[in-house]
């Protein structure tokens, strides 16, 4: 092979004659994932029940402000997942392998190399861009709805009873 020859691209397993390589899950990682999923599910149930109680007992403006903060929280969460997806895609591109070395898998996963791995990395990047767009929507939502909420669609804040007029009643 001379220096002028193009580099050989690793196989993408489009050829059925090539024996595919598989990555298997690590039982310790699966246990941590299961524990984290259970804790997250319990946390979401507690938050959901608390939110339901709060909706029944709070003032409308307090609820709207809480929804604004919830929208910001969701936006930051989406940005965090987008950053993780971006970094994961960079790992795919650097290693030219999907899943990249050391990645967690749930079960036996076929290893893709070369152009097939690059294609998977591009799809992960597309997912990261979509997550950033959704985060931008979550950040914009409170500002877009602020005019609707605070200019007439909800009752005036606070709604206090009007005192009776003083003086002689005739």
């Amino acid at each position: 092979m001379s220096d002028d020859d193009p580099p050989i691209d690793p196989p993408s397993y489009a050829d059925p004659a090539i024996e595919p390589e598989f990555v298997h899950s690590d039982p310790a990682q699966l246990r941590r994932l299961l524990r984290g999923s259970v804790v997250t599910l319990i946390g979401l149930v507690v938050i959901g029940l608390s939110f339901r109680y709060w909706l029944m007992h709070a003032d409308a403006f307090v609820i709207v402000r809480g929804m604004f903060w919830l929208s910001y929280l969701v936006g930051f969460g989406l940005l965090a997942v987008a950053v993780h997806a971006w970094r994961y895609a960079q790992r795919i591109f650097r290693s030219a392998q999907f899943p990249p070395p050391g990645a967690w898998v749930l079960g036996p996963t076929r290893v893709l190399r070369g152009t097939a791995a690059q294609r998977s990395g591009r799809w992960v990047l597309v997912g990261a861009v979509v997550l950033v767009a959704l985060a931008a929507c979550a950040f914009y939502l409170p500002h877009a709805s602020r005019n609707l909420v605070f200019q007439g669609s909800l009752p005036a804040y606070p709604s206090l009873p009007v005192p009776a007029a003083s003086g002689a009643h005739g």
Side-chain angles (χ1 to χ4, degrees):
M1 185 172 205
S2 70
D3 292 335
D4 295 336
D5 293 335
I8 297 174
D9 193 22
S12 64
Y13 300 118
D15 184 7
I18 298 174
E19 183 68 30
E21 176 187 354
F22 286 89
V23 174
H24 297 280
S25 59
D26 180 16
Q29 288 176 342
L30 288 178
R31 282 192 298 276
R32 284 190 298 216
L33 180 63
L34 180 62
R35 264 189 254 129
S37 298
V38 169
V39 168
T40 301
L41 183 63
I42 290 171
L44 288 174
V45 167
V46 168
I47 289 171
L49 292 175
S50 301
F51 189 70
R52 185 176 176 141
Y53 177 81
W54 178 60
L55 283 176
M56 292 173 27
H57 298 288
D59 182 28
F61 277 91
V62 173
I63 292 172
V64 169
R65 282 194 194 99
M67 296 299 257
F68 287 173
W69 285 109
L70 181 64
S71 181
Y72 291 133
L73 182 66
V74 167
F76 283 120
L78 289 169
L79 280 180
V81 175
V83 167
H84 177 72
W86 185 271
R87 293 178 63 204
Y88 189 78
Q90 297 307 315
R91 286 178 54 199
I92 293 170
F93 292 136
R94 277 194 303 273
S95 67
Q97 173 182 324
F98 178 80
W104 286 20
V105 294
L106 294 177
T109 305
R110 177 185 256 181
V111 176
L112 302 176
R113 299 187 190 279
T115 56
Q118 300 294 324
R119 189 176 318 113
S120 295
R122 283 192 296 272
W123 279 112
V124 173
L125 282 180
V126 167
V129 169
V130 168
L131 288 170
V132 168
L134 289 173
C137 290
F139 289 133
Y140 178 70
L141 182 65
H143 301 288
S145 60
R146 187 174 304 272
N147 291 337
L148 296 173
V149 171
F150 294 114
Q151 291 182 0
S153 62
L154 290 177
Y157 181 77
S159 73
L160 298 173
V162 177
S166 61
H169 296 300

